[in-house]
Amino acid sequence: MSIPRRQFLKTAGFGIAAMAAGPAHAWESKAPDDPLGCLVDVTRCIGCRKCELACNQVNKLPEPETPFEDMRVLDAKRRPTAGAYTVVNRYYPGALDERGQLSPTFVKIQCMHCQDPACVSACVTGALSKKENGTVHYDASRCIGCRYCMVACPFEIPAYDFHDPLTPQVRKCTFCLERLEDGKMPGCASICPTEAITFGRRSVLMRLARERIEGDPARYENHVYGEHEAGGTSWLYIAGQPLAKLGFPAVPDEPLPRRSETIQHALFSYLWSPAALFATLALTMKTLSGSKKDKE
Amino acid sequence: MHHPRPIDRPFWSPGVLVMLAVMIAGGAALAVRFVYGLGYATNLSNTNPWGIWIGMDVASGVALAAGGFTTAALAHVFGRHAYEAVTRPALLTAALGYTFVAIAVFVDIGRSWAIWKPIFFHNYNSALFEVAMCVMIYLSVLWIEMIPILAERWGAKIPLLGRLDRGLSGFMWIFIILGVVLSCMHQSSLGTLMVIAPTKVHPLWYTPFLPLLFLLSAFAVGYPMVIVETNLATTSLGLHDEMEVLAPLSRFTIVTLGLYMGLKIWDLLRRGALPLAFDGSLAANSFLVEVGLGVILPWTLLLFPSVRRSRRGLFFAALFVVGGVLLNRVNVFLVSYRPQTQTIPYFPSIGEILVTAGAVATIMFLYRVLTTHAPVLSAPKQEDMAR
Ligand code: SF4
Ligand code: SF4
Ligand code: SF4
């Protein structure tokens, strides 16, 4: 194997230049400044499943097997699915009512619209994106169906059309993006009879959450879930119990994309390491193969 | 050294018929997937979106095809021409292996017809984007590297092939190096895939060093894989055993496997995760098998010159390394993957198993076809040796 000399020097030169250009600045959050969000006050939720109904209608989802008025579905713990972007679950975290009975707590779950979403960082083609207004948006026309977003999401939210053989989609709460763009509230927030879901700017919601907690410390756990979880989320929760007792997965405060993106960028920004490796190997090949007898 | 040449052995053997049967079964399962969907053919779910098609066909397939770039690096880049005898079969295995990795991806992704989209829609933050691009380019590079072999046999009959061969020969060094570079990139990025899911991956495997561990284990498994497949090929085709190449080759594995083992154990100690290996759970036991039988045992065995010189000893040591790396990929992508909301643990469906088995059978079938008709193997036939 012989390497034409001119070609070789050129390639090696590129590699060394790339090495000098060098990589890697520290990871930076790409979170929008003051996105829209929702504050879910778990203590206000009465488990009426109206939000499920509204979500079904505004997103034109298929009719469920059991009607939304049937409260027996609350007997089992459910997760969001391809046909239901939000579900309400009932928990008995230990508090007793005035008659000494365990009193239920109801929690609605849906996509948290993370500030630095793992799903967006993971998505091969950028089919998932974080919009300036806070919504984490899915564009089916870019999706290849690899389901890496589902692997990445720490809240274990995205669901998949596993039964569609050719055009399945990733399904999750859309934050009713179209309604927001029309200046309307999300379907679930607008229907909620007890105002358990408050829609607004995240900074405003944070202030409201703090006010409620401070105004009634006996009613609330002193924690706004989503303030720091996964680096912060657009949807926030306050509750009478730790959210871990209400079926929420344990999630670190570090934004999940930080580590993997740091690795990716340190190694591959400007393709510096592949270029350097190429140059080194070409040099090695030239020296080692060239010196010995060299045929083939 | 003998020059590679086609092996003219009768093609239809009982083994080939078995392969054919498995291929047909796999094909049927494949049809089910494309007619009724992933949900029908697989045990995938919202909590376990990846199964053996990713954990075995793709992740292990890529790792076990590492023989291609590691032998090319040794013989062509580092100028150890004595090892050229094994570069061609290793290259063929890699080319076939990656072809099937690409097919596995095509089958596994929900929107198979959209498989080309990453070429135009980029997300540089995504480790999977990088894997996808590298695999795509590397697959082409591998088949370009195959051209001289194919041209040697069919160049006269197919003029285009001959012309390609002549046109490319001056540039082949670029493709050889490119192959090594691309391999290093995506072998490590496959490990980066799980770095984004710290809450789901068992702490025995979750570490930011995953990419480096994946790269080192790919280096380590390259030559053992060559040893295993050369042994299988020479035995089943009645060829000379090539021990004079394979035995020295295994000495490199002591170093590469040793590095991998060192990093793995250091990382476990550093994170204080080692005690978890002894809690008796399925994950813990799978870990013990992976590291005990797949890393420590073969590494120790290879230290003995008597093992390296014995055909049987070398074969089994190499087989343990291969099994260890395969199990590592399955462990990282499947066994260790425990989402917090999971209710039913994942186990592959019959359909998933059939498709995987069918793919393996097809690779072996094509290996057989190509070694029979194209100049891939160099080992002389046993009866010619005796003469
Ligand atoms: S909750 Fe999951 S799906 Fe929703 S934005 Fe965050 S990472 Fe993405
Ligand atoms: S399944 Fe679609 S949306 Fe999810 S990561 Fe893959 S390409 Fe992106
Ligand atoms: S914001 Fe819209 S899509 Fe999301 S849960 Fe509420 S109604 Fe459903």
Side-chain angles (χ1 to χ4, degrees):
Chain A
M1 178 107 14
S2 72
I3 304 173
R5 194 182 149 74
R6 171 94 68 67
Q7 204 175 25
F8 164 77
L9 286 175
K10 226 176 34 207
T11 324
F14 269 126
I16 291 159
M19 235 188 297
H25 3 231
W27 183 84
E28 269 170 36
S29 164
K30 294 176 276 292
D33 233 0
D34 192 11
L36 294 168
C38 280
L39 173 66
V40 181
D41 187 336
V42 172
T43 65
R44 294 188 177 196
C45 177
I46 53 169
C48 66
R49 301 185 63 210
K50 287 278 191 306
C51 54
E52 290 187 35
L53 170 73
C55 184
N56 178 284
Q57 286 172 347
V58 299
N59 289 293
K60 303 186 184 64
L61 297 175
E63 196 157 317
E65 275 167 40
T66 29
F68 288 107
E69 294 74 37
D70 189 340
M71 292 303 148
R72 280 172 304 181
V73 295
L74 293 173
D75 293 344
K77 298 284 176 287
R78 295 174 300 151
R79 298 290 306 166
T81 64
Y85 299 167
T86 185
V87 291
V88 180
N89 279 318
R90 183 182 59 209
Y91 292 88
Y92 293 100
L96 302 178
D97 62 17
E98 49 280 10
R99 273 173 295 151
Q101 308 271 2
L102 279 174
S103 69
T105 300
F106 300 96
V107 194
K108 163 197 197 300
I109 43 175
Q110 74 297 305
C111 169
M112 301 289 287
H113 298 272
C114 305
Q115 282 287 67
D116 280 297
C119 59
V120 170
S121 169
C123 178
V124 187
T125 52
L128 286 157
S129 57
K130 176 84 175 169
K131 297 251 179 254
E132 226 11 73
N133 70 5
T135 56
V136 173
H137 178 65
Y138 170 68
D139 173 1
S141 72
R142 280 195 177 198
C143 177
I144 63 169
C146 66
R147 310 185 294 282
Y148 189 28
C149 48
M150 302 170 71
V151 170
C153 171
F155 297 100
E156 302 175 8
I157 290 298
Y160 199 63
D161 286 331
F162 278 108
H163 284 280
D164 182 336
L166 293 175
T167 53
Q169 296 193 18
V170 171
R171 305 275 188 171
K172 68 166 195 70
C173 156
T174 59
F175 207 160
C176 293
L177 178 62
E178 282 175 26
R179 289 172 63 93
L180 298 201
E181 282 170 347
D182 290 348
K184 288 192 238 161
M185 294 216 275
C188 55
S190 61
I191 206 174
C192 180
T194 60
E195 289 180 29
I197 311 165
T198 315
F199 170 72
R201 291 267 158 215
R202 189 171 185 268
S203 58
V204 178
L205 298 175
M206 273 307 301
R207 227 173 302 131
L208 177 65
R210 288 260 165 261
E211 274 166 27
R212 286 202 194 156
I213 293 174
E214 275 151 32
D216 196 349
R219 183 182 173 107
Y220 293 103
E221 183 77 13
N222 185 14
H223 182 80
V224 184
Y225 189 92
E227 179 177 12
H228 300 299
E229 276 74 9
T233 54
S234 293
W235 279 62
L236 304 164
Y237 283 75
I238 47 176
Q241 300 84 17
L243 268 285
K245 284 195 179 169
L246 303 174
F248 273 63
V251 169
D253 285 351
E254 184 188 3
L256 284 109
R258 177 187 272 161
R259 274 188 199 181
S260 56
E261 288 185 6
T262 305
I263 294 174
Q264 281 302 101
H265 294 175
L267 288 177
F268 299 118
S269 53
Y270 311 110
L271 291 176
W272 77 273
S273 71
L277 183 59
F278 191 100
T280 317
L281 290 176
L283 259 167
T284 316
M285 191 180 205
K286 180 77 182 161
T287 340
L288 294 183
S289 298
S291 59
K292 280 175 214 155
K293 59 121 219 206
D294 174 308
K295 259 181 265 143
E296 279 255 334
Chain B
M1 196 171 58
H2 300 267
H3 195 76
R5 79 224 171 298
I7 307 295
D8 52 350
R9 291 275 189 217
F11 179 75
W12 295 103
S13 65
V16 172
L17 292 177
V18 172
M19 283 182 222
L20 216 56
V22 178
M23 284 158 67
I24 292 169
L30 210 57
V32 172
R33 179 258 174 265
F34 279 108
V35 175
Y36 298 102
L38 285 167
Y40 196 84
T42 71
N43 281 346
L44 300 177
S45 62
N46 289 336
T47 45
N48 283 74
W50 283 355
I52 57 169
W53 289 349
I54 295 295
M56 272 168 105
D57 301 26
V58 174
S60 310
V62 165
L64 298 189
F69 85 96
T70 47
T71 52
L74 186 63
H76 300 315
V77 178
F78 293 95
R80 308 290 280 262
H81 300 290
Y83 296 105
E84 255 157 35
V86 291
T87 53
R88 282 194 172 189
L91 174 63
L92 173 62
T93 324
L96 291 176
Y98 273 87
T99 306
F100 278 84
V101 165
I103 293 175
V105 170
F106 179 82
V107 173
D108 184 82
I109 61 174
R111 305 172 149 243
S112 307
W113 47 269
I115 194 168
W116 51 271
K117 285 193 173 164
I119 302 175
F120 296 101
F121 303 114
H122 303 172
N123 177 8
Y124 301 112
N125 294 324
S126 168
L128 192 55
F129 168 72
E130 197 227 306
V131 172
M133 293 314 285
C134 280
V135 168
M136 216 179 276
I137 303 172
Y138 185 44
L139 179 59
S140 331
V141 167
L142 280 167
W143 284 104
I144 290 173
E145 288 184 50
M146 281 293 289
I147 287 176
I149 302 178
L150 301 176
E152 210 174 299
R153 177 72 169 77
W154 289 291
K157 259 197 239 142
I158 310 169
L160 179 67
L161 202 57
R163 232 177 300 137
L164 265 179
D165 182 36
R166 283 187 295 279
L168 283 170
S169 66
F171 300 98
M172 208 36 107
W173 69 275
I174 297 184
F175 291 108
I176 288 171
I177 299 180
L178 200 58
V180 179
V181 172
L182 288 165
S183 294
C184 291
M185 287 169 76
H186 70 268
Q187 292 281 2
S188 55
S189 291
L190 267 175
T192 316
L193 285 185
M194 283 299 172
V195 172
I196 204 166
T199 60
K200 301 179 187 176
V201 178
H202 192 290
L204 276 172
W205 289 278
Y206 184 84
T207 158
F209 283 100
L210 268 170
L212 189 55
L213 285 167
F214 266 53
L215 182 64
L216 289 180
S217 54
F219 287 154
V221 81
Y223 301 149
M225 191 62 195
V226 169
I227 292 171
V228 169
E229 74 201 35
T230 307
N231 261 288
L232 293 179
T234 53
T235 309
S236 68
L237 294 168
L239 306 175
H240 174 61
D241 60 18
E242 301 260 64
M243 278 303 282
E244 69 283 358
V245 185
L246 300 184
L249 195 58
S250 67
R251 282 176 316 164
F252 295 102
T253 306
I254 301 176
V255 181
T256 50
L257 191 62
L259 278 175
Y260 170 57
M261 180 172 71
L263 177 66
K264 191 152 176 120
I265 293 173
W266 172 79
D267 173 65
L268 281 163
L269 294 174
R270 176 187 73 93
R271 296 184 294 114
L274 196 55
L276 293 173
F278 304 98
D279 67 10
S281 64
L282 172 74
N285 291 337
S286 196
F287 177 85
L288 288 178
V289 174
E290 175 202 325
V291 178
L293 297 185
V295 183
I296 298 174
L297 174 74
W299 184 77
T300 319
L301 284 176
L302 284 175
L303 289 178
F304 296 97
S306 55
V307 173
R308 296 202 303 271
R309 276 195 303 265
S310 116
R311 179 174 185 180
R312 190 176 287 258
L314 185 62
F315 176 71
F316 281 106
L319 196 61
F320 278 110
V321 179
V322 169
V325 172
L326 198 149
L327 183 56
N328 171 259
R329 301 307 192 254
V330 171
N331 277 343
V332 168
F333 285 98
L334 303 176
V335 176
S336 81
Y337 191 76
R338 292 272 178 277
Q340 298 172 60
T341 59
Q342 183 187 53
T343 44
I344 317 158
Y346 164 82
F347 193 82
S349 70
I350 304 283
E352 290 174 86
I353 295 171
L354 282 181
V355 169
T356 302
V360 174
T362 315
I363 293 179
M364 288 164 65
F365 183 84
L366 291 176
Y367 184 91
R368 176 85 187 214
V369 172
L370 281 158
T371 50
T372 304
H373 295 292
V376 174
L377 296 172
S378 316
K381 292 185 183 172
Q382 266 161 11
E383 58 268 27
D384 298 342
M385 293 290 286
R387 221 177 283 150

